[in-house]
Amino acid sequence: MAYGRHEAAAQPFFAPTEPMAGRILFPQPRAESPSQLRQFCQFLAERQGRSFADQAALQDWAIGDFRGFWTAFLAWSGLRCSGAAQPACEGDAIEIARFFPNLRLNFADNLLSPAFDDASLALVAVQHGRATQRLTRAELRDRVERVAGALKRLGIGPGDRLGMVSRNGAEAVVVFLAAAAIGASLSTAAPEMGAEAVIDRFSQIEPSLLFAHLAPRPFDTGMPVPERIARLAAGLPSLRGVVALDEGDITGFAVPATTLEEMLEGAPLLQADWPQLPFDQPLVIMFTSGTTGRPKCILHGAGGALLEHAKEHRLHADLRPGDRLFFQTSCSWMMWNWQVSAIGAGAAILAYDGPVAAPTLWDIVAQEDITVFGTSPPYLRLSASAGLVPAASHALRPLRLVLSTGSILQDDQFAWVWDNVKPVPLHSISGGTDILGCFVLGGPDLPVRAGESPCASLAMDIRAHGATPDAPVGELVCATPFPSRPLGFLNDPGGARFHKAYFAQNAGLWTQGDRVAIGPTGGARLHGRSDGVLNIRGIRVGPAEIYRLLAGWPELAGVMAVEQRAPAEFADGRLVLLVVLRPGAALTSALTGRIRRVLAREASAAHVPELILPVDALPLTSSGKQSEAAMTDLVNGLPPRNLGALANPECLDALRAHPALLSRLFADSAAPMGKDPEEVLRAVWTEIFGMAEIDPEDDFFELGGSSLMAARLFSELQRLTGIDLPATILLQGARFRDLAEALGAPLPEGPRQVVHLQPGEGRPLFMIHSLSGAVLDLAPLQKALASRRPLVGIQARGLEAGQPPHSCIMAMARDYIPLIRQVQPEGPYTLGGHSFGGMVAFEIARQLRAAGQQVDQVLMIDTLVHARFLPGRQWLRYRAMRPLRHLQGLLTRRPEERLGYLADKGRVMLDRLRIKLGRAPLRPDLAGAQIGDAHIPPALRAVRGAALTAFTHYKPGAYDGKLVFIRAGDAGEFDPEPVWRRVSGGRLVVLEAPGDHLSMITEPHVQAVARHFDACLA
């Protein structure tokens, strides 16, 4: 039987690959025997006559016949169970599928299976400042049997629910397995979690008993542990008793209290007497993060968790007797349950309780002969920043595999492990609390590419939903049923909340909010949470991309990107970057500029933070994950969600009411009238970019400057110097030096509405402005175009003082045609525009053709149409949504702002009436979303509002010329294509470019738009 594309003996440890993928490490085979994955394939060959050329072929079969895979794995695994293994799964829909409905088993019975040597090590508990505990499999079984006996005498049995607030030690493992042995389900929390946060969770499960560590330890922080547990017990009316896991004081509880030691002295419930329970017997109750409300209770079944963990431990991590697994975790995280299950593979596990400094965990890995070490990107970053070289300072000979999870593992961290720890496989694994397991992880025979998880979990059809070749990042979904899918949410009898959480977004696909790109070899690169995507000026920005680009910088110990939308002047969304600096580093202008340049060059202008703030620490959850939700609340002036669930809530105090978070408006004294224009420019530039030191070669766009930032820049320059420079001068030269020279030069002559974007040969392409009124948004497209034809931009009337803006598209077209004909007197004309600009270009084309002029083509980049002119169903949906949007607009404002908001809406309604009567609007600056945009210069607000008013009232008429519609790959909620197809008489040419409505004209997506333009202009 052939198996494995990469025969390790014939390959070097490292091999070069394509530049973007970084290094590759090829695993070496274990000396004692082939991997268990190979052994499983041999089993399939002998029993079913199946052979697989490689793991990809095995995965193809496992997905196509998932029932056959799980049946075969159950038979090969030797798991102890009774009943019938058929059917393997009832139902094909993930949401309702039931695995092995006729099978019975016991989770604890399988973990403590007598198939392994009773004298072998099962558990090592390392506790800071205390003696290390070591338990053999026989000793662990004895303790579990005795606690199971005590629970049974207390009347605890199948269906009961228990709570535990525990340090990571032997006691927690014993209680978990004892509860599983008798069929009770357990919820766990760590002592560092706030009492209210635990009450929010445990009060929903109504536990009968509470197990808890009560004695304080020197490294505890916050409220003393005894006080936390007392508050927790008082807040759980369902409690029948409390069980102390240590020597802490058990007096003062309103319910009977005992100790684990007393339970261990009683008669055991022998393993042979543990009941065989249904496959779906509830095992543990986990909790969602609670970022959108009260944490939901996720109910996980014993059979699904057992089967999935056995697959991951044995086939993916190749855990077996003789291995020692140490995972950096706490009892509040699902990785604790995952680690405990490794006992079922015959491996020993190590639990650590204590403070973590840079060398702490490496010390344990070396001292305890750990073979598989599980950690997190923050700890690897901590080790690197401390200058550790564990390969030189620690004896790591037994170490054969490193696992990492909890956040995204960056490319440079793979290199650090391979160069400074040991050249062993480093598996970035990801799944979560939702499935109590992994969607992507590694394989014992697969190469590891820096930045990637080597493969998807076997029998799971993992896809990047919505990805395209040009935009490979999509929503991580699973398209096949899997055993560890939760049984549901507790207290959700109809399953409505469960459906909404995982199935409402993509029908028939499990979706939990992660973003992923899947490479040609099947490896997965995680890109953070989709529900953490920021909306900056209408462009969606993934924080993971920012974190990736700033990872490994010697000055930065940590970064967090959040979106600010309050106060009202930030309503369009601004990006705030919080940075933790390493000792000795400072947020200098040079560092600020470098951050801005890298993000603008490698990502897009939308990824560049408007505000960069240094902080001492970032908020972390009790499991060590960064809490963007808490920081987002804080910067928006809201009470941070789940403050009690944070490990370091005090880190937020320094940012409360921070001046930089309250206003971006310029101080009048910043650059008083009469100063040298270059000094004024320096002061305004400093305000906008947060850089006190300015290099004359600093480029506006390279620093992440946007069209709105340009509008603010030139508006302030005019206010403070009286010099009215057009913002489009940035298209001729965007360096600080260029602007300083322009301030001292004569103003450009000619109409400012016509902007010669680039010279060339042949007939020009006329590009019409978008809603902003300016053509500065077209700068990325201008740079990306390969066509040598001239490019001319047409800007809106009203950007210059004394000019009222147009609020009618037909009037705009009449006004712009003479400007166009001054540049090109006769046709054929080529017209284009993005969004609103495409609509104006379309109307110009209609009027030119009506005047007898030829129009070659109109290139419309995702040009929308107001919902009232869309097909019936879309219009009805818009009408249904409109009142809700108005209500949302009202409720998102502070109480003192709401009356003014309603008054402004009244003025908008009055203007709509004036337009119907053929009169000009009085306050176009208030139209649509412009209300509250105080940070935008008044002239630009008026132009945007007038354009929006014009858009609202324009109904496209018939057109018999060539229309090219370049639509966004990530479509919005309304689809204008049917309208354009109808008005063109079915002659519409439809092309597609990656990105959404706004991001498609920014890097990197604008490259695809430019290719379409070049092809049309050739």
Side-chain angles (χ1 to χ4, degrees):
M1 176 193 68
Y3 180 79
R5 271 188 192 137
H6 305 282
E7 293 299 331
Q11 296 281 359
F13 253 139
F14 292 104
T17 183
E18 60 273 17
M20 290 302 291
R23 298 159 71 184
I24 300 180
L25 181 141
F26 291 91
Q28 298 296 296
R30 297 183 70 169
E32 57 268 36
S33 64
S35 69
Q36 292 178 86
L37 185 61
R38 289 177 181 261
Q39 294 175 36
F40 176 56
C41 287
Q42 186 64 41
F43 171 85
L44 291 171
E46 294 171 354
R47 295 289 185 92
Q48 301 183 15
R50 300 182 184 277
S51 62
F52 303 99
D54 51 29
Q55 186 167 326
L58 172 64
Q59 177 73 315
D60 288 344
W61 168 72
I63 291 172
D65 184 10
F66 67 89
R67 291 179 174 85
F69 170 85
W70 287 112
T71 302
F73 178 72
L74 178 68
W76 173 82
S77 67
L79 292 175
R80 292 155 61 89
C81 55
S82 59
Q86 294 299 328
C89 179
E90 288 183 339
D92 293 323
I94 304 174
E95 188 170 1
I96 60 172
R98 282 190 66 204
F99 277 84
F100 299 109
N102 298 322
L103 208 64
R104 301 182 73 83
L105 49 75
N106 187 291
F107 183 87
D109 177 51
N110 275 281
L111 265 59
L112 297 172
S113 169
F116 302 108
D117 183 4
D118 268 2
S120 63
L121 189 66
L123 173 63
V124 179
V126 177
Q127 295 184 307
H128 181 75
R130 298 191 176 189
T132 296
Q133 287 182 279
R134 302 179 193 278
L135 297 178
T136 65
R137 294 183 67 86
E139 291 168 335
L140 177 59
R141 181 187 296 110
D142 177 68
R143 293 191 181 200
V144 172
E145 288 176 335
R146 291 180 182 278
V147 175
L151 290 174
K152 186 174 182 180
R153 287 189 293 275
L154 288 172
I156 304 296
D160 284 313
R161 297 191 283 269
L162 312 177
M164 179 169 69
V165 181
S166 175
R167 304 184 188 279
N168 188 15
E171 302 86 4
V173 176
V174 169
V175 171
F176 174 37
L177 294 182
I182 61 171
S185 54
L186 180 71
S187 287
T188 56
E192 60 266 23
M193 291 181 67
E196 294 305 316
V198 182
I199 289 173
D200 271 351
R201 290 156 172 78
F202 283 11
S203 62
Q204 297 182 74
I205 71 168
E206 300 179 327
S208 305
L209 291 180
L210 176 66
F211 291 83
H213 278 96
L214 300 178
R217 300 293 304 280
F219 49 82
D220 289 340
T221 59
M223 182 187 296
V225 168
E227 185 178 342
R228 292 190 198 194
I229 302 304
R231 283 197 185 185
L232 172 60
L236 298 175
S238 62
L239 280 188
R240 290 159 39 192
V242 174
V243 181
L245 298 174
D246 55 19
E247 69 280 9
D249 182 12
I250 61 172
T251 62
F253 291 104
V255 293
T258 185
T259 67
L260 187 65
E261 280 300 315
E262 290 183 16
M263 285 186 160
L264 290 171
E265 292 173 0
L269 178 65
L270 298 177
Q271 182 174 1
D273 297 324
W274 295 350
Q276 291 280 289
L277 300 162
F279 187 86
D280 281 347
Q281 178 67 27
L283 174 70
V284 293
I285 302 172
M286 310 297 288
F287 301 94
T288 62
S289 61
T291 55
T292 58
R294 197 179 190 193
K296 302 177 186 68
C297 307
I298 309 173
L299 193 61
H300 284 288
L306 178 66
L307 205 58
E308 180 60 36
H309 289 179
K311 180 196 73 177
E312 293 175 12
H313 291 146
R314 298 179 63 180
L315 299 188
H316 287 277
D318 202 27
L319 284 171
R320 58 178 78 178
D323 272 318
R324 293 190 180 188
L325 170 65
F326 168 33
F327 218 106
Q328 172 196 359
T329 183
S330 73
C331 294
S332 63
W333 193 18
M334 57 80 52
M335 291 310 301
W336 180 81
N337 305 82
W338 191 90
Q339 175 176 257
V340 172
S341 293
I343 296 172
I349 65 170
L350 186 142
Y352 171 65
D353 180 52
V356 175
T360 304
L361 305 186
W362 298 116
D363 292 344
I364 295 172
V365 171
Q367 292 163 7
E368 297 296 335
D369 291 334
I370 297 301
T371 62
V372 180
F373 174 41
T375 184
S376 64
Y379 180 70
L380 295 177
R381 189 72 66 198
L382 173 67
S383 300
S385 64
L388 294 186
V389 184
S393 57
H394 294 75
L396 302 175
R397 189 187 61 80
L399 184 66
R400 66 171 183 84
L401 174 64
V402 178
L403 307 173
S404 175
T405 192
S407 57
I408 294 176
L409 190 65
Q410 305 294 347
D411 296 37
D412 68 296
Q413 295 182 290
F414 285 80
W416 183 85
V417 169
W418 292 339
D419 294 341
N420 295 279
V421 180
K422 194 175 180 180
V424 297
L426 171 56
H427 291 170
S428 177
I429 65 177
S430 180
T433 299
D434 310 83
I435 64 166
L436 206 63
C438 302
F439 278 136
V440 295
L441 62 178
D445 306 314
L446 292 177
V448 180
R449 290 170 170 80
E452 287 188 355
S453 302
C455 64
S457 191
L458 284 167
M460 290 189 173
D461 186 4
I462 304 304
R463 305 174 184 175
H465 187 63
T468 67
D470 289 321
V473 180
E475 187 93 27
L476 189 154
V477 300
C478 183
T480 48
F482 53 95
S484 65
R485 189 219 70 205
L487 305 179
F489 288 159
L490 203 63
N491 307 317
D492 182 27
R497 290 191 300 155
F498 184 70
H499 174 84
K500 181 179 178 182
Y502 302 115
F503 298 100
Q505 183 175 347
N506 298 302
L509 302 174
W510 173 278
T511 308
Q512 63 181 49
D514 294 310
R515 290 180 62 76
V516 68
I518 298 176
T521 62
R525 184 183 285 265
L526 274 298
H527 287 262
R529 297 282 298 170
S530 58
D531 51 11
V533 171
L534 313 178
N535 190 320
I536 306 302
R537 302 185 301 276
I539 298 175
R540 287 180 291 181
V541 172
E545 184 69 6
I546 295 173
Y547 301 158
R548 182 182 68 81
L549 292 171
L550 300 182
W553 285 33
E555 304 92 342
L556 304 178
V559 296
M560 178 180 286
V562 296
E563 177 184 346
Q564 183 178 11
R565 287 188 172 272
E569 66 177 279
F570 305 127
D572 58 341
R574 75 163 175 173
L575 181 59
V576 178
L577 184 71
L578 296 309
V579 297
V580 179
L581 299 166
R582 297 194 192 281
L587 188 61
T588 61
S589 291
L591 178 58
T592 299
R594 187 152 60 94
I595 290 172
R596 288 181 169 279
R597 290 187 194 94
V598 167
L599 293 176
R601 183 178 65 248
E602 302 296 333
S604 76
H607 288 76
V608 180
E610 182 173 322
L611 177 64
I612 304 176
L613 282 179
V615 295
D616 293 332
L618 300 172
L620 302 174
T621 66
S622 56
S623 62
K625 294 184 179 181
Q626 291 189 173
S627 178
E628 277 91 351
M631 185 63 81
T632 298
D633 285 340
L634 185 83
V635 302
N636 284 284
L638 302 171
R641 286 166 277 186
N642 295 309
L643 201 61
L646 296 181
N648 58 341
E650 68 283 352
C651 76
L652 300 173
D653 295 340
L655 286 177
R656 296 182 194 277
H658 193 290
L661 296 172
L662 299 180
S663 176
R664 61 149 72 102
L665 296 177
F666 295 101
D668 288 338
S669 60
M673 183 82 76
K675 278 196 173 184
D676 177 71
E678 185 170 339
E679 289 184 35
V680 175
L681 173 62
R682 187 175 298 275
V684 176
W685 189 283
T686 297
E687 288 265 10
I688 286 179
F689 291 114
M691 298 166 58
E693 301 169 15
I694 298 171
D695 187 325
E697 299 302 313
D698 281 341
D699 185 283
F700 180 85
F701 294 114
E702 289 182 1
L703 292 175
S706 65
S707 60
L708 289 182
M709 292 170 72
R712 289 167 48 213
L713 170 67
F714 288 98
S715 175
E716 284 299 298
L717 287 176
Q718 182 183 15
R719 182 176 72 86
L720 297 170
T721 68
I723 300 174
D724 183 19
L725 280 180
T728 51
I729 205 165
L730 288 169
L731 298 173
Q732 301 169 20
R735 297 173 303 172
F736 179 88
R737 180 196 306 278
D738 299 326
L739 294 185
E741 292 174 356
L743 283 171
L747 292 176
E749 297 180 355
R752 291 191 177 183
Q753 283 184 261
V754 179
V755 182
H756 292 272
L757 296 170
Q758 72 176 30
E761 302 171 357
R763 291 182 291 106
L765 164 64
F766 293 94
M767 292 293 292
I768 315 301
H769 64 84
S770 63
L771 276 176
S772 68
V775 294
L776 205 58
D777 294 335
L778 298 174
L781 179 61
Q782 170 200 353
K783 293 180 180 179
L785 283 173
S787 172
R788 299 183 63 185
R789 288 174 62 171
L791 184 63
V792 178
I794 303 296
Q795 299 201 122
R797 193 178 74 177
L799 293 178
E800 298 179 65
Q803 288 186 331
H806 283 298
S807 56
C808 170
I809 284 180
M810 287 182 287
M812 285 183 190
R814 286 194 296 270
D815 187 40
Y816 297 169
I817 286 174
L819 299 175
I820 291 172
R821 298 192 70 175
Q822 286 178 19
V823 178
Q824 180 187 338
E826 299 294 329
Y829 295 95
T830 304
L831 305 166
H834 168 242
S835 188
F836 177 79
M839 180 175 281
V840 181
F842 172 81
E843 178 57 30
I844 291 173
R846 293 183 75 239
Q847 293 188 20
L848 282 170
R849 288 175 68 87
Q853 292 292 326
Q854 293 182 358
V855 177
D856 177 39
Q857 58 187 323
V858 181
L859 307 176
M860 303 188 299
I861 307 173
D862 210 43
T863 296
L864 306 179
V865 178
H866 193 272
R868 73 176 68 188
F869 306 119
L870 292 174
R873 289 185 179 180
Q874 295 193 62
W875 165 238
L876 291 174
R877 188 165 83 251
Y878 168 79
R879 292 291 296 176
M881 294 166 56
R882 192 175 177 188
L884 296 176
R885 288 181 174 174
H886 286 320
L887 180 62
Q888 184 182 31
L890 180 66
L891 296 180
T892 52
R893 280 163 170 76
R894 296 174 180 174
E896 62 271 21
E897 298 173 338
R898 291 173 183 169
L899 188 59
Y901 174 81
L902 291 173
D904 284 341
K905 278 295 182 184
R907 295 185 182 99
V908 171
M909 294 177 67
L910 178 61
D911 273 349
R912 287 180 180 166
L913 179 60
R914 290 177 60 86
I915 291 171
K916 289 181 179 180
L917 296 175
R919 302 171 67 181
L922 298 174
R923 292 294 305 274
D925 57 306
L926 296 179
Q930 313 308 313
I931 294 177
D933 283 353
H935 60 289
I936 300 176
L940 184 56
R941 278 209 314 276
V943 169
R944 288 175 64 180
L948 186 60
T949 300
F951 165 79
T952 302
H953 293 86
Y954 182 71
K955 181 179 181 180
Y959 182 73
D960 60 359
K962 182 180 179 181
L963 278 184
V964 178
F965 179 63
I966 305 174
R967 63 179 304 146
D970 190 357
E973 57 187 336
F974 297 109
D975 181 12
E977 184 183 326
V979 174
W980 297 120
R981 194 173 294 281
R982 174 175 51 79
V983 299
S984 68
R987 292 180 296 274
L988 184 69
V989 177
V990 179
L991 305 172
E992 188 169 301
D996 58 28
H997 182 69
L998 293 176
S999 68
M1000 68 187 299
I1001 61 164
T1002 66
E1003 292 289 355
H1005 305 318
V1006 73
Q1007 296 293 333
V1009 176
R1011 287 194 295 270
H1012 289 319
F1013 264 61
D1014 288 332
C1016 292
L1017 297 174

